[in-house]
C-alpha cells in the first residue's frame, strides 16, 4: 500500500470510529492530514464520517485550493489550514462534536483542572476557544489564540479540536478529551473533586520528558498571570492548569466544591441553624 493509500484508509477508519462512538452525528466533523509538503488530504463536505470510502477524500494545497477529488473539501477547512500554518509539527487535525466535552464547551467550563495524571502528562489542559460562527474566518482566529500551546481544545458552543504528530495520535486525543469530560462530569455530579496538588503537577510535567511526550508548551507557572495575559488578547504560550498548593498532600479537596474543610475561613450553616439565628436576631429587635 502506498503512503497515500494508507493515509486515506486511516482517515476512513478514524471517521468510522468517531461516528460509532457518537462523537459526530449526521455529516458533522472533519479530519485532515499532511500528505507531503503543500498537499493535504481532507474529508469532503456533506458526507457522514461513519460511511466514507477512501476515494471520497480530496487533496488541497496549503491555501485550501482543491488539487484532486470529485467532492469539495470540508466546510471547516479554514480551521485545519490555520492549524497547519501555526504548527509545522502537526501532521493531522481532527474535529468532532463529542457530546459530553461539547456540553462543557456549551457551559463555558474549560477542562483545566488537575484531576487525571495521564491528561496532565499528555494534553495538559483543554481550554475553550471563543465562540465563532462555524465555517467562517472567525473560527480559525479563535483557534489561533490557543493552538501554539495546546494539542486539544473545546470550541465554545460547537465541539472539540485535536491535533497530533500523526493521524491516530490526533484521534486518540479526541478520545482522551471525551473520556476526561465524562469523568469530570461524574465527579461533579457526585459533588466533589479532589485536585492534584501543584507540586505533584510539576512532578508529572517532569515525566513528560522521561516518557518522551512532546507537549507543545509547559504548564503555566502562575495561572493567574497567564489568564491576565490571555484576557489582554495575547495568544497562549503555556497551559493553564487549576491546581492548588498541596502543603505536603498530593491530593487536595477542591475549594470550589464547598467541602474543603473547616479551616478555609468559610462559615456553613444548616437551614435549621440559619433559621434559629434569624429568629434570635428578630427577637432581639423587638
Ligand atoms: Zn463542527
Amino acid at each position: 500500500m502506498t503512503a497515500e493509500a494508507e493515509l486515506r484508509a486511516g482517515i476512513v477508519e478514524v471517521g468510522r470510529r468517531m461516528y460509532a462512538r457518537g462523537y459526530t452525528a449526521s455529516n458533522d466533523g472533519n479530519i485532515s492530514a499532511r500528505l507531503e509538503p503543500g498537499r493535504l488530504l481532507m474529508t469532503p463536505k456533506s458526507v457522514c464520517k461513519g460511511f466514507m470510502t477512501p476515494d471520497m477524500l480530496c487533496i488541497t494545497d496549503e491555501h485550501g485550493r482543491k488539487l484532486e477529488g470529485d467532492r469539495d473539501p470540508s466546510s471547516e477547512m479554514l480551521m485545519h489550514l490555520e492549524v497547519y500554518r501555526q504548527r509545522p509539527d502537526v501532521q493531522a487535525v481532527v474535529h468532532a462534536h463529542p457530546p459530553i466535552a461539547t456540553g462543557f464547551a456549551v457551559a463555558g467550563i474549560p477542562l483545566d483542572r488537575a484531576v487525571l495524571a495521564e491528561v496532565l502528562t499528555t494534553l495538559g489542559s483543554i481550554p475553550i476557544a471563543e465562540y465563532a460562527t462555524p465555517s467562517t474566518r472567525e473560527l480559525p482566529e479563535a483557534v489561533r489564540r490557543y493552538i501554539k500551546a495546546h494539542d486539544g481544545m473545546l470550541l465554545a458552543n460547537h465541539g472539540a479540536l485535536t491535533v497530533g504528530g500523526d493521524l491516530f495520535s490526533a484521534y486518540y486525543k479526541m478520545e482522551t478529551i471525551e473520556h476526561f469530560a465524562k469523568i469530570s462530569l461524574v465527579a461533579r455530579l457526585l459533588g466533589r473533586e479532589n485536585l492534584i496538588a501543584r507540586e505533584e503537577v510539576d512532578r508529572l510535567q517532569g515525566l513528560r520528558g522521561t516518557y518522551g511526550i512532546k507537549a507543545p508548551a509547559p504548564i503555566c507557572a502562575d495561572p493567574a498571570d497567564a489568564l491576565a495575559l490571555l484576557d489582554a488578547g495575547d495568544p497562549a504560550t503555556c497551559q493553564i492548569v487549576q491546581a492548588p498548593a498541596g502543603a505536603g498532600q498530593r491530593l487536595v479537596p477542591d475549594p470550589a466544591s464547598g467541602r474543603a474543610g473547616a479551616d478555609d475561613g468559610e462559615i456553613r450553616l444548616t437551614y435549621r441553624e440559619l433559621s434559629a439565628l434569624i429568629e434570635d436576631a428578630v427577637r432581639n429587635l423587638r
Side-chain angles (χ1 to χ4, degrees):
M1 210 191 269
T2 64
E4 182 181 324
E6 211 168 301
L7 205 50
R8 281 180 186 265
I11 289 177
V12 166
E13 177 62 19
V14 167
R16 204 187 58 77
R17 290 190 195 192
M18 291 206 305
Y19 186 66
R21 284 178 161 263
Y23 293 1
T24 57
S26 180
N27 297 338
D28 295 344
N30 28 75
I31 309 156
S32 69
R34 283 191 211 267
L35 201 49
E36 52 207 38
R39 281 162 73 84
L40 301 167
L41 203 48
M42 190 90 59
T43 51
K45 64 165 66 153
S46 310
V47 163
C48 176
K49 305 307 169 296
F51 297 95
M52 288 189 301
T53 50
D55 58 295
M56 286 181 179
L57 306 180
C58 44
I59 296 176
T60 73
D61 67 11
E62 68 270 41
H63 305 292
R65 281 183 293 252
K66 190 166 83 170
L67 303 174
E68 277 176 46
D70 297 335
R71 295 164 189 262
D72 285 335
S74 160
S75 54
E76 297 291 19
M77 178 178 64
L78 295 177
M79 173 170 73
H80 292 241
L81 298 178
E82 186 63 31
V83 172
Y84 292 119
R85 247 193 304 276
Q86 299 292 329
R87 293 278 304 273
D89 60 309
V90 162
Q91 297 300 319
V93 178
V94 171
H95 164 59
H97 305 164
I100 314 246
T102 304
F104 277 80
V106 168
I109 303 171
L111 290 163
D112 65 352
R113 291 192 184 180
V115 287
L116 294 176
E118 72 272 18
V119 174
L120 289 165
T121 48
T122 55
L123 281 156
S125 73
I126 299 119
I128 306 181
E130 287 72 20
Y131 179 74
T133 310
S135 313
T136 66
R137 279 280 351 144
E138 284 175 16
L139 193 54
E141 271 156 37
V143 165
R144 191 189 305 149
R145 202 151 166 227
Y146 295 95
I147 194 62
K148 282 216 163 139
H150 298 271
D151 280 353
M153 70 185 79
L154 303 178
L155 309 173
N157 291 59
H158 181 170
L161 176 76
T162 53
V163 304
D166 62 68
L167 175 63
F168 273 84
S169 92
Y171 167 68
Y172 287 136
K173 283 171 197 161
M174 187 63 76
E175 282 194 354
T176 299
I177 287 183
E178 181 65 352
H179 201 60
F180 181 26
K182 221 176 269 183
I183 291 166
S184 296
L185 177 65
V186 171
R188 288 176 201 196
L189 287 173
L190 293 171
R192 75 171 86 182
E193 272 177 304
N194 291 322
L195 302 188
I196 296 175
R198 169 68 41 184
E199 299 83 342
E200 180 69 4
V201 167
D202 292 343
R203 211 167 299 143
L204 290 168
Q205 179 163 227
L207 289 180
R208 283 177 171 178
T210 312
Y211 294 120
I213 296 165
K214 286 197 196 77
I219 290 167
C220 305
D222 185 339
D225 261 10
L227 204 56
L229 285 173
L230 262 181
D231 286 344
D234 287 2
T237 55
C238 59
Q239 302 174 340
I240 294 176
V241 170
Q242 308 296 338
Q249 300 297 312
R250 288 196 290 179
L251 293 180
V252 187
D254 174 20
S257 71
R259 293 171 185 264
D263 57 351
D264 58 358
E266 222 178 290
I267 299 166
R268 296 189 194 90
L269 299 172
T270 62
Y271 183 73
R272 189 188 294 267
E273 288 165 336
L274 183 63
S275 305
L277 270 180
I278 293 169
E279 266 170 35
D280 205 34
V282 170
R283 241 195 316 274
N284 285 336
L285 275 178
R286 287 192 188 123

